[in-house]
Amino acid sequence: MQTTIDPADAYDYFGINMIDNLGAPLIDFAPGTTNTGPSGLVPALATKWSESADGLTYTFILRSGVKYDDGTPFNSTDVAFSVNRGMAIYDPNGAFNGLGVSSIIGSVTTPNATAVTFHLKAPFSAFLSMMTFGIMYPVNPNKVSKFSCTVAAPCNDETGIVNFTSSSAAASNPNGLGPYTLTSWTRSGTKDVQMVLTANPNYWDYPAYPKTHTIIIKFYPDATSLAAAIKSGDVDIAYRQFATTDIESMMTNPSLKVYPSPGAFIQYLVINENNAPYNDINVRQGIAAAINRTDLINTVFAGTATPLYSQIPVGMAYHTDAFKTAYGAGPNYTLARQLLAKSGYTASNKLTISLTYETTGHYPQSPDQAQVMAKDLEASGVITVNLQGVDWPTMHTDVRAGSLGVFEYGWYPDFIDPYDYTTPFLSSTGASWLNDGYNSSAMDSLLSQSLSATTSTASSIYGQIQTLQAQNVPIVPLYQGGSNCCGAVTKTTVGGVYLDVTLIFRLYTIYETT
Amino acid sequence: MSLKSYIITRALLTIPTVLLLVTIVFLIVRVLPGDPALLHFGKTVNPTALAAVKHALGLDVPIYAQYYNYITGLFQGNLGIAFSNEQPVAPQILSAFPATLELSIGSMMVAVIVGVLLGVRSSRKYGSVEDVVIRTFGVVVYSIPVFFLGLILISVFAIAFHILPSGGRIEGLVPTGGTIFGVHVRTGLYTVDSVLAGNLGGLVDALRHLVLPCTALGLYISAVFLRITRSNMLEALGQEYVTAAKARGLKERTVLFSYGLRNGLLPVLTIMGLEFAGLMGGAILTETTFAWNGIGTYIVTAITDRDYIAIQGAVVFFGILVSLVSLVVDILYAYLDPRIRY
Amino acid sequence: MVVIGIAIVVFLVAMTVLSPVIAPHNPTALSVGPADSAPSLAFPMGTNRLGEDIFSRMIAGGSTMMEVAGLSVLICFLIGVPLGLVAGYSRRMVDSPLSLLMDSLYAFPGLVLAIAIAAVLGRGVVNLSIAIAVVYIPTYFRVVRSQVLTIKELPFVEAVKVEGGGTLNVLFRQIFPNVLPSIAVIASINVADSVITEAGLTYLGLGVNVAAPDWGFDIYYGYQSLLAGAWWTVLFPGLMVVLLAGGFTFIGEGLSEVLNPRLRR
């Protein structure tokens, strides 16, 4: 895990989640929300916001009288400062670079102490969602050190980043507008041991939140030790990553409560068209038809995940079940055999594919998933599957080298917008990290239209994108959510746990009953 | 050759040994498949960013340059900057080491106590049913994979009966600035820290967390001590001076403890030193099973992250440690047996 | 003791070799029964989380472990013993660098070395065997070398040299047979260690392919079910490993007792 909860640099799930609890955004989604469109946004540090007609300017009106946890007054210059800082420091593997913020935001101006305006370089329909993402949370300018870069001349200035320091929790935390403040952070080697959060009386929504004054976070290296901890009563809440059998048994345990996650984590099969026979459209469509999502979910995840028929998950705006429309709920062996027969694959001349999966626990139960998928694909009678397990770093590198055939990957959203599930996967430039050889000018055109789409045109454009994906099949979506990756388990004496599609684990809504 | 020059020679030999070790690991990690720079990028990568990271990690210079930089750094006491979080390696290792040390000492204690006591008993009752039972116990315990034993212990004592915690080193209640469970962390050995501060609650908590992992690892090693103690005791007891002592009418008990045990124990001490090296392998699996944040976890994480510098640093650290222990053991041996010199 | 050990090992090897014939179900067939069901008449050892029959997996699951353990001991023997013989017998010029290299390898945390080599070479029985062998070669080397150091000073060796026996002759016909008993002891203990190390590597995700059943793999994945109360998913694979390693340890223990007459009274 990275050693920073600095919004300018943090890009791992946990770092961002800490920022979510130690800092505050301008706008947010309500806890437990099922509406992830612009109408689902609620005020946080900003009370009102507006968008210009051309989509190039966004203005936010901020609350007045808000202070950081150390008493520093908060105003619009802090927002501008934080965003500019993120764009100036340019850590190559930070989120600002990964999301391409500098190519979205042109400049930030502050008309007065409670107003801040963003001027975009081009219309970006996902901008408001991006503002809810942890990296955009304002930092405390008194807590960050000088840095030499500017937005015009960004540089990789490591000293400008606030990193973990063992001597002081306060010095490790440049946030300070959130419901909690960090009072203790202990690490050992490269692992976090413990973090302690205590209520921040300067939080704009204090005393309604946080509900619990002190939270102690303990870290466990894997799903099984986490499950052991919650089962033996060592902890009150356990979050993120469990094994299916643990979930099942905890669901029947009277002293525990299980919260499944509608979360936006998805897994999918990528088909690398750079290599034969995957450049054959019949092969790809045949695989899409033969996939058995139900068996996968029932056998490996005890039915706690949701089958996914589109790259855009259920619960996100503009989702359609494109793959179901094209191939049926599956498995559709008749259709699969027809498609593969077109390229000469029959029971006596089977299609051989290689399926690569990771073995070091990066995704939930990958070896199990691979086994089940192989069995179901082979049940079509015309496919042979060669399973290849490699550890995560090897897979990560092999993917980018383009040497694999079919491989299973996953995705945690950066922010909640269908943009984050389409362009990074289907654009000939944006999807270069997958190196799967997919290059469709029709898709690229649709994707650039989606960037400037308005609420009236978005539905149609995204609908076409998903239909086209189901036709071209560069990627076969498998499932989403599930308690394994993103669920929570608590003692029955704990309440206020909201798990929603944003995957933000809000510690400040949690309380203890009795 | 005198003892003194033997010590000096052996001490000097440690340096090339460790250097060779460093070189081996340096080469091995660079053959590992997987690009460490690439691992920094979860998703999209642009070539400029990748090049920037490669440069920051020092991977864009030729291998011999990387080697030279690393070795010169080593001689200055600098273990380098870790790839995974761009922080210096040495403080990370030093912060993780006390956990492994506490685990090792605790396990060694369990191993010696169980192994020696059973070994003595078994040698006394040579040929009896008790002897066979004890020896079978030794074989069985040696054949149980440490993580399997650990899993069983956890499921019985932590899950089924809620007597002991399932993992971790300390409970961690409301701390007060830089402490864990009100244990002011000074040495990093929570038991010692608690004692130093007179913190009974902390001591009890730390011990509770030590019980299961030390039992799992300690039992596994106790088999070695059992065997060695037993065979040495048997050998010693068969010696003429023992028969002579018994002939003079000394009680068997006295004979056992003053003659047999004293001579039987010396090899035990040397075995303790040698087993220390083997402890690390067991420690990795034990630490993984019990969520114990020590050097074992550090190394496994570093390998997963392809963090070359961290792996090298941990191996160097451990290599020096083992060499020092071997040095002490060899000196002890030489002191005791003048026939062996180099 | 030796007899018991050999009996156990022979039984397990036979069981594994005959597994395609005697296993009631295909060990990798998913969902032959309900997931995580307790031992019953249909499934004497129960089923695991994927509905595979554990009994069949136990019968077939030792093959990887045995192959790896056997192969790695062979490699150790073929490399460690000759090197030890040479080092012990030769003058400092040859002995020093060899010993230095072995000491360095010995100081390397064993499991880490195995993990690294396994990661470099990739999966597969041969690669895993090499990874484990490299860890244990120094032990063979050391033992053989120290034995040779002692033996070569003995009178009968001197006698052969005086009579004009060449180096090779002395090494292989005089010294080697006397070193053999210690090697046998080491080898048995080492096979036991190899079994455990292979289980450990699988536990860490570095084992052979998931397609073949493997006891170590089952222990790791069974733990999830264990926490849910399905003790059979972990207990049986664990017991199998204990049996196999135990068998070899019995052999080693027994041999060391037999070969060391000073211990008998």
Side-chain angles (χ1 to χ4, degrees), chain C residues 56-254:
Chain C
S56 306
R57 288 184 72 83
M58 291 307 100
I59 294 179
S63 59
T64 313
M65 217 171 256
M66 291 177 195
E67 285 169 37
V68 169
L71 192 53
S72 65
V73 167
L74 192 62
I75 299 176
C76 282
F77 188 83
L78 290 175
I79 298 186
V81 170
L83 283 181
L85 286 174
V86 167
Y89 198 71
S90 316
R91 271 187 292 266
R92 286 243 210 110
M93 287 285 289
V94 175
D95 184 21
S96 306
L98 264 180
S99 292
L100 194 62
L101 176 63
M102 290 299 167
D103 278 346
S104 298
L105 274 180
Y106 192 73
F108 211 114
L111 196 59
V112 176
L113 187 56
I115 293 175
I117 296 182
V120 169
L121 294 177
R123 295 170 176 270
V125 171
V126 176
N127 295 335
L128 214 50
S129 309
I130 296 177
I132 296 178
V134 173
V135 174
Y136 290 111
I137 285 177
T139 312
Y140 283 76
F141 174 85
R142 276 184 160 203
V143 168
V144 170
R145 176 179 172 274
S146 64
Q147 285 269 12
V148 172
L149 280 177
T150 321
I151 293 178
K152 77 175 179 185
E153 309 297 338
L154 291 180
F156 76 90
V157 174
E158 292 292 340
V160 171
K161 277 160 63 174
V162 160
E163 278 167 37
T167 313
L168 268 182
N169 184 349
V170 175
L171 263 180
F172 283 102
R173 296 187 61 202
Q174 308 301 332
I175 299 187
F176 179 63
N178 287 289
V179 169
L180 209 45
S182 328
I183 299 180
V185 176
I186 299 272
S188 347
I189 303 291
N190 254 325
V191 176
D193 279 344
S194 301
V195 166
I196 308 245
T197 309
E198 197 271 351
L201 283 177
T202 318
Y203 184 72
L204 292 171
L206 288 161
V208 192
N209 218 328
V210 77
D214 185 88
W215 295 331
F217 186 83
D218 281 1
I219 296 178
Y220 179 58
Y221 271 88
Y223 184 44
Q224 308 160 6
S225 310
L226 173 65
L227 289 183
W231 48 269
W232 52 91
T233 52
V234 169
L235 190 67
F236 292 118
L239 284 181
M240 299 307 282
V241 174
V242 173
L243 256 181
L244 183 61
F248 284 111
T249 314
F250 269 119
I251 296 179
E253 284 272 311

Side-chain angles (χ1 to χ4, degrees), chain A residues 1-3 11 90-93 97-98 156 158 163-164 184 186-194 196 214 216 218 220-222 225 228-229 231-234 391-394 396-397 400 411-414 430 432-433, chain B residues 33-35 38-46 48-49 52-53 56 84-87 92-93 95-96 154 158-159 162 165-167 170-175 179-180 288-289 291 293-294 297-298 301 303-306:
Chain A
M1 209 274 288
Q2 289 186 309
T3 50
Y11 200 10
Y90 181 73
D91 186 344
N93 50 358
N97 186 50
N156 185 8
E158 263 301 315
N163 269 306
F164 164 78
S184 162
T186 320
R187 292 176 67 96
S188 168
T190 46
K191 297 284 190 188
D192 296 291
V193 176
Q194 178 182 269
V196 180
T214 309
I216 300 174
K218 289 169 65 168
Y220 292 85
D222 54 44
S225 30
K231 284 186 174 184
S232 59
D234 290 350
D391 68 357
W392 173 248
T394 313
H396 193 83
T397 309
R400 279 154 185 75
W411 180 257
Y412 290 94
D414 291 326
S432 57
W433 61 289
Chain B
D35 182 347
L38 210 43
L39 281 175
H40 280 245
F41 298 89
K43 302 169 177 177
T44 48
V45 184
N46 77 56
T48 341
V53 170
S84 56
N85 50 29
E86 286 149 32
Q87 302 294 308
Q92 290 174 9
I93 293 184
S95 68
I154 293 177
I159 315 286
H162 294 259
S166 66
I170 200 97
E171 203 46 55
L173 289 186
V174 184
T179 69
I180 295 177
T288 316
T289 313
N293 271 327
T297 312
Y298 185 78
T301 314
I303 294 181
T304 315
D305 291 341
R306 298 292 193 266

Side-chain angles (χ1 to χ4, degrees), chain A residues 14 39 103 139 154 166 176 210 250 317 420 483-484:
Chain A
F14 187 75
S39 54
S103 50
V139 297
S166 55
M250 293 194 271
D420 202 44
S483 315
N484 295 60

